[in-house]
Amino acid sequence: MSGIDRRARTTLWILASGVFAATLGNMLVPGVLPALSEETGISIGDIGRSNAVFGLAYAVAAPTLAILVRRISPYTVLTIALALEAVTLLAVAAAGSAEQLAAARIAHAITVAGVVPMCTVHAGSIVAPSLRSRALSISFGGMVVSSLIGAPLGNTLAGAIGARASFIAVAILLVVVALVALRASRWQAGLVADARASHAAGGMSGALGTWAWITLGAVFATAAMEGAATSGLNTFVSPFLTDAVGATGTPLSLLLLCYGLAGLAGNALLGAIADRVGPARALVVVAAAAAAAVAGLMIVDTAWQAAAFLLVWGFCSWAINPPLQSLIIGHSGRHLTLLVAVNSSVIFTGSSLGAAVAAAQVDAGGLASLPLTAGALFLLSALGAAVAWIASRRVAAQRAHDARPAALEHAVPPPAA
């Protein structure tokens, strides 16, 4: 991470830990679901529906919180939210009915909405614009890891200590991370102040022009379609692979692991790549590649072929996030916190839409053609990224034009003849 000083680098890893801890409780649910149903007497269906409740609550809470806490430092908000989330997970663990579980999941979603967007905002605010994608890939890496290990870890913990105790363990982790974040709070204001000049030069302050709003709208469309494509196919990828290549048991687990491990690599590498080639250009390429990869699943008939396409899909799907978040931060001006939160809401909304569309398609007997639907959604995502690329170039040209008079004003006049 050349160019990122020690304290900023430490902060980024704290933010990654915060995102990991904040999202882990939700990622555990598929793994603990049968055990939680047995321990609480709540039906598996009601526990599953609590995930939908969580998603909707998060989608509403993220922008709402951003407005309510706009005068408070994002780092302060996320530190408090981490501690409050621990309390909500204790409520999840203590739930004894579907209604209590739904209420606890709503409270849980609200606190997560106070962590994840704020981590993104702070990560982009403590480094220069030229290092922004790299910093965001570190911060967002916490969610990549939690999504990769959440379900299997939940299954393991549920078998070892029970489902309720699994949520209590995550609550303890949240408290630990909150304390670490609190200890590091004393140098955060200095990091933000040091980076402020370069942020202002990069357009992170002030009013937004028309092309900046077009860029942001296109980025949100990209995020929504990516969320829909990934969620829809992910929801039913296991039965699809079983039908397509006969994978069950350990072979199926290994195939799913290909997607997760490639996602780790995509998130890590695209941060540095996007800083070099530009986030908008990188976003177009990875979204288009994701479309090709998921569509390629239509032709697989061996596990090896499926593994190859899953690797590319996983890499590209998670690689979308660093350049996407970088574009939002680079074009949000004084609306930064709100628009990052809106993006989180858009992703959750798109994911819910994708899962609903996929479920309807599977109910109609269309499981085998599900990758084509995901591919079409990824193509729409790539189209949105292309619009964002074009619009962001106009923004850059306008900023260069606006900066030219100031540069001429400070130029040294030529010597008199």
Side-chain angles (χ1 to χ4, degrees), residues 262-322:
L264 283 173
N267 178 74
L269 292 177
L270 255 291
I273 293 172
D275 283 336
R276 290 189 177 93
V277 306
R281 182 182 304 176
L283 193 59
V284 174
V285 172
V286 294
V294 295
L297 289 170
M298 291 291 298
I299 63 172
V300 301
D301 55 16
T302 69
W304 291 108
Q305 292 172 346
F309 285 113
L310 286 168
L311 285 168
V312 178
W313 172 32
F315 182 94
C316 294
S317 185
W318 285 103
I320 285 173
N321 284 287

Side-chain angles (χ1 to χ4, degrees), residues 42-71:
I42 303 172
S43 72
I44 287 178
D46 283 335
I47 295 174
R49 277 186 283 275
S50 78
N51 266 2
V53 170
F54 177 95
L56 291 174
Y58 183 100
V60 174
T64 303
L65 273 178
I67 294 172
L68 293 176
V69 302
R70 62 188 181 277
R71 299 185 185 280

